[in-house]
Amino acid sequence: MSAPTRDTCLALDLEDPLAALRSQFDLPANTIYLDGNSLGAMPKHAQTRAVQVLQKEWGTDLIKSWNQAGWFDLPSRLGNLLAPLIGAASDEVVVTDSTSINLFKALAGALHIQASRPDGHQRKLIVTERSNFPTDIYMAEGLTRWLERGYQLKLVENPEELQAAITAETAVVMLTHVNYRSGYLHDMQALTKHAHGQGALVIWDLAHSAGALPVELNQSNADFAVGCTYKYLNAGPGAPAFIWVPRRHQAAFQHPLSGWWGHTAPFAMQASFSPTPGIRRALCGTQPIVSLALVECGLEIFGKTTMAALRKKSLALSDLFIQLVESVCSHHPVELVTPRPHATRGSQVSFTHPHGYAVMQALIARGVIGDYREPGIMRFGLTPLYVRYVDVWDAVETLRDILDRQDYQLHAERHAVT
């Protein structure tokens, strides 16, 4: 099949039913932004909302805003706005803390539930992938060291080995729904069903799927989930993350970070902890209101479309990206890492190149922003809310020109963030 032309891509943009959503974002001129899988673009409303929080709610109303502006209930209200995007019910999600901290809570809660079961003493394995996002592995390593009860972390080499690795000794399976390097998409329903068949609980990290593709946590009968809001949900750098605990687990859910915001009556100032009923027991300390308030700016845009429509465009964009790269860059040592089948592909395209970091820096210098992850992987995030088909064509054309001319610096100093 011949590669589409730029005019073909322009025509696709004219026919795109989601094209108007791009106007909801403040995108810089002369920039093709393909890094929404790392940091989403800024919604136009975010600046107005930030000024409102700073000048009115904080500057004028001061501490009264905990009540008058709804600051106290903000984690729950945002959680309910986010819930439909991940297949959760109301009062099952709170937006709070970081993904790492929320994963710690979920993992500790899952291990506690398992330990209370009759066969809990036999279940000492936490199963995850070696290619999982490092912080997930680090948090599990740290928790197992602190528990000192014989818990072990088992790292599986590839997705095909996961089912065999989940046995009657497994306490918890901890997986990222879409792999951050390759964009590989797990079958949530099948893996959860298999894990439950072995008596294990499952935690899903939705960092690279929430807001990018349809997620059905309750339909899949998952046990816990966490994720960030600053990628496809466009909440801003370092914005608070989220944690999902289904109603069936909430009464039994406990975690060691029992801060006062999770207390049943935080301003009773009691000397002992009594967890609040429901999802708010997943909260810990006082909430970061300025950054928390901006989460809504990204979430409200999703009310103008559906996850099914976003998924359809996402797959079309990534199909186009793969086709173009393999058409015009085939004489260069670029190799596709992202799965071709739609059923196992997230919303990014990853290619390896022997000089991937240098090539990516050359792309960024020319206004095509993706990012780089070891080993040798150039990542291109395709956020259907604002990425156009012509952006894909222009990005690949820039990549072709850089590779053809070898217009990249091999020995450039590495930035702290790649």
Side-chain angles (χ1 to χ4, degrees), residues 61-353:
D61 295 339
L62 296 167
I63 201 168
K64 294 181 294 182
S65 287
W66 284 108
N67 297 311
Q68 292 180 181
W71 287 0
F72 183 78
D73 293 322
L74 195 54
S76 301
R77 188 168 68 80
L78 293 173
N80 284 336
L81 288 175
L82 194 156
L85 305 183
I86 57 174
S90 60
D91 300 324
E92 290 186 338
V93 183
V94 283
V95 177
T96 185
D97 296 325
S98 68
T99 306
S100 298
I101 291 173
N102 287 335
L103 181 68
F104 180 91
K105 298 173 193 171
L107 185 55
L111 291 177
H112 173 78
I113 290 173
Q114 285 287 39
S116 67
R117 292 176 172 176
D119 65 343
H121 66 284
Q122 302 172 4
R123 297 182 177 276
K124 297 296 183 182
L125 283 182
I126 301 168
V127 174
T128 192
E129 293 180 283
R130 187 177 297 278
S131 64
N132 199 356
F133 192 72
T135 196
D136 292 28
I137 297 175
Y138 303 160
M139 296 305 287
E141 284 180 339
L143 182 57
T144 56
R145 284 198 299 268
W146 275 95
L147 287 173
E148 296 181 348
R149 297 176 186 171
Y151 287 103
Q152 295 182 348
L153 184 62
K154 183 172 184 176
L155 303 180
V156 179
E157 297 299 330
N158 59 68
E160 291 74 24
E161 298 175 4
L162 271 171
Q163 290 206 5
I166 301 169
T167 67
E169 297 179 339
T170 305
V172 177
V173 180
M174 181 185 71
L175 296 172
T176 298
H177 193 204
V178 174
N179 186 276
Y180 79 102
R181 281 196 186 105
S182 67
Y184 179 92
L185 169 64
H186 284 292
D187 186 332
M188 177 183 288
Q189 192 159 11
L191 277 169
T192 301
K193 182 178 180 180
H194 175 76
H196 287 175
Q198 299 298 314
L201 297 176
V202 187
I203 302 171
W204 290 98
D205 184 337
L206 306 180
H208 289 269
S209 50
L213 51 90
V215 179
E216 296 293 346
L217 288 172
N218 274 318
Q219 185 176 309
S220 299
N221 202 32
D223 296 297
F224 300 93
V226 300
C228 63
T229 63
Y230 53 78
K231 293 182 171 67
Y232 293 102
L233 296 175
N234 307 298
F242 64 88
I243 180 170
W244 170 76
V245 182
R247 286 197 180 92
R248 72 181 193 277
H249 285 322
Q250 286 180 7
F253 175 60
Q254 297 183 31
H255 62 88
L257 305 180
S258 46
W260 75 314
W261 235 236
H263 195 282
T264 188
F267 285 88
M269 304 298 177
Q270 297 171 353
S272 60
F273 183 74
S274 174
T276 187
I279 187 59
R280 285 186 67 93
R281 64 176 54 198
L283 299 178
C284 182
T286 308
Q287 302 301 302
I289 295 300
V290 177
S291 57
L292 195 63
L294 299 186
V295 175
E296 187 168 4
C297 301
L299 291 178
E300 64 186 6
I301 297 173
F302 286 89
K304 305 176 187 295
T305 185
T306 66
M307 290 310 305
L310 291 170
R311 177 62 168 165
K312 182 178 179 181
K313 182 180 177 183
S314 165
L315 290 170
L317 289 169
S318 55
D319 282 342
L320 176 64
F321 198 104
I322 293 168
Q323 181 188 358
L324 288 172
V325 170
E326 294 186 335
S327 174
V328 303
C329 301
S330 59
H331 53 296
H332 294 288
V334 290
E335 182 178 347
L336 179 67
V337 176
T338 301
R340 295 181 190 275
H342 287 180
T344 53
R345 187 196 307 169
S347 196
Q348 71 185 60
V349 175
S350 297
F351 282 93
T352 59
H353 186 278

